[in-house]
Amino acid sequence: MSKPLSDHDKRKQISVRGLAGVENVTDLKTNFNRHLHFTLVKDRNVATRRDYYFALANTVRDHLVGRWIRTQQHYYEKDPKRVYYLSLEFYMGRTLQNTMVNLALENACDEAVYQLGLDMEELEDIEEDAGLGNGGLGRLAACFLDSMASLGLKIVNGWQVEEADDWLRYGNPWEKARPEYMRPVHFYGRTEHHPDGVKWVDTQVVLALPYDTPVPGYRNNVVNTMRLWSAKAPCEFNLKDFNVGGYIQAVLDRNLAENISRVLYPNDNFFEGKELRLKQEYFVVAATLQDIIRRFKVSKFGSREIARTDFNKLPEKVAIQLNDTHPALAIPELMRVLVDEEKLPKSSSVISNTVCETNMYAVIYILSFLYLAVQRVASLFPGDTDRMRRMSLIEEGGIKRVNMAHLCIVGAHAVNGVARIHSDILKATVFKDFYEMDPHKFQNKTNGITPRRWLVMCNPGLAEVIAERIGEDFIRDLDQLKKLLKFVNDEAFIRDVAKVKQENKLKFATHLEEHYKVKINPNSMFDIQVKRIHEYKRQLLNCLHIITFYNRIKKEPNKQWSPRTIMIGGKAAPGYHTAKMIIRLITAIGEVVNNDPVVGDRLKVIFLENYRVTLAEKAVPAADLSEQISTAGTEASGTGNMKFMLNGALTIGTMDGANVEMAEEAGEDNIFIFGMRVEDVEAMDKKGYNASEYYNRIPELKQAIDQIAGGFFSPKQPDLFKDIVNLLMHHDRFKVFADYEDYIKCQEKVSALYKKPKEWVKKVIYNIAGSGKFSSDRTISQYAREIWGVEPSLEKIAAPDDPK
């Protein structure tokens, strides 16, 4: 296996990552040594590689700070409408390389580090992925932050085992604590009615300490802020316990308070987990809303600072976007703050005009929303009590629950789906009643990804090849990738695209061999499915294809098969037994397949452990085939599908989520579509799905299920996967068997095309050229103009003097 080019070497070749001459390399070296000596208090005799990473990170951060301050000054002076994106996840990944790219510092830093006798890739690998997300929701939020700035677990013996992701144990050079903006958040207590309003008393207070992280735009001097909140116990917290010797209890109480921000997604199979999750959701929105109100109150009139008191103007200066329903408590909390604390009349119009959505302690306010909704339903649909029940914010039944989605719809002025098919399903079924009452609220905003991280940073070779043909403007305007269509039959371009893909595969093969001890064939098709482990995402369908392919090779070992390396990655929720069993099945299949001498390197199966952003940045550029095989009508959008498409992988998928629009953009002839459509799934739901019918009719399916059930993949524990088999045969809501036959036939088409490299690459080019729509820049521009009421700007903010 030849040694692939390092990213350092590639960076020297390509212009799109910034020129070394832009920054003075000598100054960077001086600042690096200054931080090593005066910030870290080390010299080259005792410094570790981690120290060198921190010195470099602080050097790069110096170049952020001036722009960050200038951006905030600009916002303060202009007093524009501000957009607040509320999310419980921000899956940012690593920051160093992304910051260097966006500030056009990367080649200069490469050269400075090289002259210092250090290795840039080694330093970049020291940075931990910021553990602030669990999957697509958090990654989407991270892409959106990038675009907003640019526009104005472990596997042990085959089982998933959760380990603490202590990514902050060495500190985080990118964040800045802001104790001056610490806010009290109240829990428990009771309400008292007074002449001047309702007061919340006898509460338990937890302090919210903000930590700010700069988010740089792409070479426009704009640096926005991601503000995260850490829970802290107040200093006087149960201080009397210390005085009477109750030290241990006081410490335990303090830990309980600070647990709120200590773990992401607690296991909520038990009440304690559900309570902690609710506390987390309220903690975030309560702290954020106090922060928003504080900032709104301060206005500038000429050179004078004045207090803004008219909260009817709040929608003119504030837009709040909710990422899913997790921050839904923002709606009643905003009403509580405005009515109880700011003495605004009890009207929801200010709230609904401010909030958008992609007692509890104050039931009266939720009930006020409920009242408003019932009033309107009764007037528009008189006598339709069933509709009132369906639209209630309080779910009927033994346990009264607040329906967070309904709360969002009632309390927001706009509600959007994240792919066209998703938005259509919301209007036609899930929220049909609400759509019929307020059709103007419902919009579609198809998701997107940032091309800075997901092309320029993770796949510099491909970015260079593209820039050589159409220039570099595609980094800011991804629609320009359509210009690549005229190179579909260009032999040199086809050769260059294929060469970049093979280099990426060689590099990833080396990584897999080092970390998974599996030697794979770099000329095999890299067939990748990476996403959260869940029944609806149908990793089980992928497993059935693997077993079928394995059985075919065993039956005809002398046939010329298209070799495949099938990789599946993702994490299961801690309390999700079925998902953990799916992971165990994947690893069990791999143990059999990878050690079968008859199969050899024609088929390998790898489960990608601890799948995270950094691993995705290696896997995505190396993929030949992207598996997007959810049951039609179950995936909201997906963004992994877009990343693979942009990086030159072909897609095999159902007509679900953004796959529908990807097929339109690339052309259906250039994507492998199979399986039931949404209407077919709906028809089967009415008719009834009978898994046994498929099991008895399709011999290869029956053989695969019998092997799983009979212990072929778990000989030491033959009944290990009985729950999986029982699920598939009797309780499968996602109809795996119904799509099996068509999926296998489609995979045969994939294998046949892979034997024709030139034709394969031509389809790859069509996909890359059709990726422009799926830029988060486009998504954010649509949000800005059509929901938030702000105009995106490509204008640069005046650059500050950079540090010398």
Side-chain angles (χ1 to χ4, degrees), residues 237-365:
F237 197 78
N238 279 348
L239 189 62
K240 64 178 186 296
D241 286 342
F242 286 90
N243 298 332
V244 298
Y247 174 79
I248 298 298
Q249 187 59 48
V251 171
L252 290 175
D253 288 346
R254 177 177 291 272
N255 287 341
L256 279 173
E258 298 183 358
N259 277 344
I260 290 172
S261 60
R262 189 167 283 148
V263 60
L264 179 68
Y265 284 127
N267 187 337
D268 61 0
N269 290 357
F270 305 98
F271 173 79
E272 290 80 4
K274 294 180 188 296
E275 182 185 27
L276 177 55
R277 182 64 178 165
L278 183 61
K279 280 184 173 180
Q280 291 177 333
E281 294 177 357
Y282 178 69
F283 176 79
V284 168
V285 304
T288 301
L289 288 173
Q290 290 183 61
D291 205 38
I292 291 172
I293 297 298
R294 173 192 62 79
R295 194 174 287 111
F296 170 78
K297 286 181 173 180
V298 177
S299 180
K300 192 172 183 183
F301 185 78
S303 60
R304 292 187 299 116
E305 188 177 283
I306 62 172
R308 188 187 274 126
T309 58
D310 184 0
F311 280 92
N312 289 302
K313 295 185 181 296
L314 188 67
E316 298 175 13
K317 291 297 180 182
V318 173
I320 301 173
Q321 181 72 34
L322 308 183
N323 188 12
D324 212 313
T325 60
H326 304 136
L329 290 172
I331 294 167
E333 173 65 4
L334 182 55
M335 178 174 270
R336 186 193 70 79
V337 170
L338 292 179
V339 174
D340 282 356
E341 298 181 9
E342 302 299 337
K343 309 306 179 185
L344 197 71
K346 293 182 180 179
S347 168
S348 67
S349 60
V350 171
I351 292 91
S352 63
N353 288 328
T354 302
V355 180
C356 333
E357 193 269 335
T358 335
N359 186 272
M360 292 195 265
Y361 62 87
V363 178
I364 184 172
Y365 298 108

Side-chain angles (χ1 to χ4, degrees), residues 726-768:
N726 183 55
L727 169 72
L728 288 171
M729 293 296 298
H730 305 292
H731 309 286
D732 181 14
R733 296 175 295 148
F734 304 105
K735 306 170 181 62
V736 169
F737 291 3
D739 276 343
Y740 168 83
E741 201 166 23
D742 201 22
Y743 180 53
I744 298 300
K745 289 177 182 177
C746 197
Q747 289 284 16
E748 291 169 357
K749 295 177 184 177
V750 172
S751 293
L753 183 66
Y754 194 71
K755 291 179 179 179
K756 303 173 183 178
K758 184 181 291 187
E759 296 306 310
W760 180 281
V761 177
K762 285 184 179 181
K763 291 184 183 294
V764 165
I765 295 169
Y766 276 113
N767 275 266
I768 296 171

Side-chain angles (χ1 to χ4, degrees), residues 340-471:
D340 282 356
E341 298 181 9
E342 302 299 337
K343 309 306 179 185
L344 197 71
K346 293 182 180 179
S347 168
S348 67
S349 60
V350 171
I351 292 91
S352 63
N353 288 328
T354 302
V355 180
C356 333
E357 193 269 335
T358 335
N359 186 272
M360 292 195 265
Y361 62 87
V363 178
I364 184 172
Y365 298 108
I366 297 176
L367 291 178
S368 71
F369 277 109
L370 179 62
Y371 173 76
L372 290 170
V374 168
Q375 285 275 75
R376 294 196 59 217
V377 174
S379 62
L380 292 172
F381 306 97
D384 196 343
T385 56
D386 193 49
R387 184 183 292 264
M388 288 188 185
R389 179 189 57 77
R390 293 195 306 267
M391 297 178 70
S392 174
L393 274 64
I394 308 296
E395 293 183 349
E396 303 299 328
I399 300 175
K400 302 293 185 184
R401 291 187 175 94
V402 175
N403 188 309
M404 295 299 212
H406 291 185
L407 177 60
C408 285
I409 295 170
V410 171
H413 73 88
V415 180
N416 68 274
V418 291
R420 190 174 66 239
I421 188 174
H422 177 234
S423 298
D424 290 344
I425 290 170
L426 293 181
K427 293 186 289 188
T429 57
V430 184
F431 301 132
K432 181 174 183 287
D433 294 326
F434 290 96
Y435 175 66
E436 290 175 348
M437 190 165 74
D438 289 312
H440 64 278
K441 278 191 178 186
F442 288 79
Q443 301 187 24
N444 176 62
K445 298 289 174 279
T446 299
N447 279 342
I449 58 172
T450 167
R452 270 74 64 181
R453 182 179 289 268
W454 293 111
L455 179 58
V456 176
M457 195 182 101
C458 76
N459 201 345
L462 182 58
E464 177 200 5
V465 166
I466 294 172
E468 286 175 348
R469 268 69 180 189
I470 65 172

Side-chain angles (χ1 to χ4, degrees), residues 704-717:
I705 294 299
D706 289 348
Q707 286 172 307
I708 297 171
F712 183 84
F713 299 104
S714 55
K716 293 181 180 179
Q717 192 177 344

Side-chain angles (χ1 to χ4, degrees), residues 374-608:
V374 168
Q375 285 275 75
R376 294 196 59 217
V377 174
S379 62
L380 292 172
F381 306 97
D384 196 343
T385 56
D386 193 49
R387 184 183 292 264
M388 288 188 185
R389 179 189 57 77
R390 293 195 306 267
M391 297 178 70
S392 174
L393 274 64
I394 308 296
E395 293 183 349
E396 303 299 328
I399 300 175
K400 302 293 185 184
R401 291 187 175 94
V402 175
N403 188 309
M404 295 299 212
H406 291 185
L407 177 60
C408 285
I409 295 170
V410 171
H413 73 88
V415 180
N416 68 274
V418 291
R420 190 174 66 239
I421 188 174
H422 177 234
S423 298
D424 290 344
I425 290 170
L426 293 181
K427 293 186 289 188
T429 57
V430 184
F431 301 132
K432 181 174 183 287
D433 294 326
F434 290 96
Y435 175 66
E436 290 175 348
M437 190 165 74
D438 289 312
H440 64 278
K441 278 191 178 186
F442 288 79
Q443 301 187 24
N444 176 62
K445 298 289 174 279
T446 299
N447 279 342
I449 58 172
T450 167
R452 270 74 64 181
R453 182 179 289 268
W454 293 111
L455 179 58
V456 176
M457 195 182 101
C458 76
N459 201 345
L462 182 58
E464 177 200 5
V465 166
I466 294 172
E468 286 175 348
R469 268 69 180 189
I470 65 172
E472 300 176 16
D473 288 345
F474 72 91
I475 302 172
R476 286 193 180 92
D477 180 10
L478 207 61
D479 274 335
Q480 295 200 25
L481 290 179
K482 289 177 182 175
K483 295 178 181 178
L484 295 175
L485 290 173
K486 63 184 178 184
F487 298 101
V488 167
N489 294 305
D490 185 296
E491 295 290 335
F493 188 58
I494 291 171
R495 188 170 57 249
D496 287 348
V497 171
K499 181 183 177 184
V500 168
K501 179 62 69 174
Q502 193 59 26
E503 289 175 350
N504 291 333
K505 291 174 68 174
L506 284 165
K507 182 177 180 181
F508 195 44
T510 301
H511 174 84
L512 294 174
E513 193 171 340
E514 290 174 358
H515 291 83
Y516 295 88
K517 311 306 177 188
V518 177
K519 190 173 182 65
I520 63 174
N521 177 5
N523 295 314
S524 65
M525 181 197 308
F526 282 18
D527 175 345
I528 303 182
Q529 183 183 22
V530 283
K531 51 188 72 250
R532 185 162 46 91
I533 309 299
H534 198 287
E535 291 163 74
Y536 89 84
K537 294 181 182 287
R538 299 205 296 190
Q539 286 90 355
L540 287 172
L541 183 57
N542 199 342
C543 287
L544 292 176
H545 169 250
I546 296 170
I547 297 171
T548 300
F549 189 30
Y550 170 75
N551 289 335
R552 289 182 176 184
I553 296 174
K554 293 285 285 184
K555 185 178 180 180
E556 297 182 83
N558 297 319
K559 185 175 177 179
Q560 294 299 307
W561 301 98
S562 286
R564 288 197 192 209
T565 299
I566 301 178
M567 301 169 231
I568 303 176
K571 297 176 183 177
Y576 192 178
H577 171 74
T578 299
K580 289 188 173 184
M581 288 306 303
I582 292 171
I583 292 175
R584 186 64 189 96
L585 177 61
I586 296 165
T587 60
I589 294 171
E591 289 161 8
V592 172
V593 171
N594 298 344
N595 293 291
D596 193 321
V598 174
V599 173
D601 66 359
R602 290 177 290 187
L603 178 61
K604 295 293 181 185
V605 180
I606 299 173
F607 185 81
L608 299 173

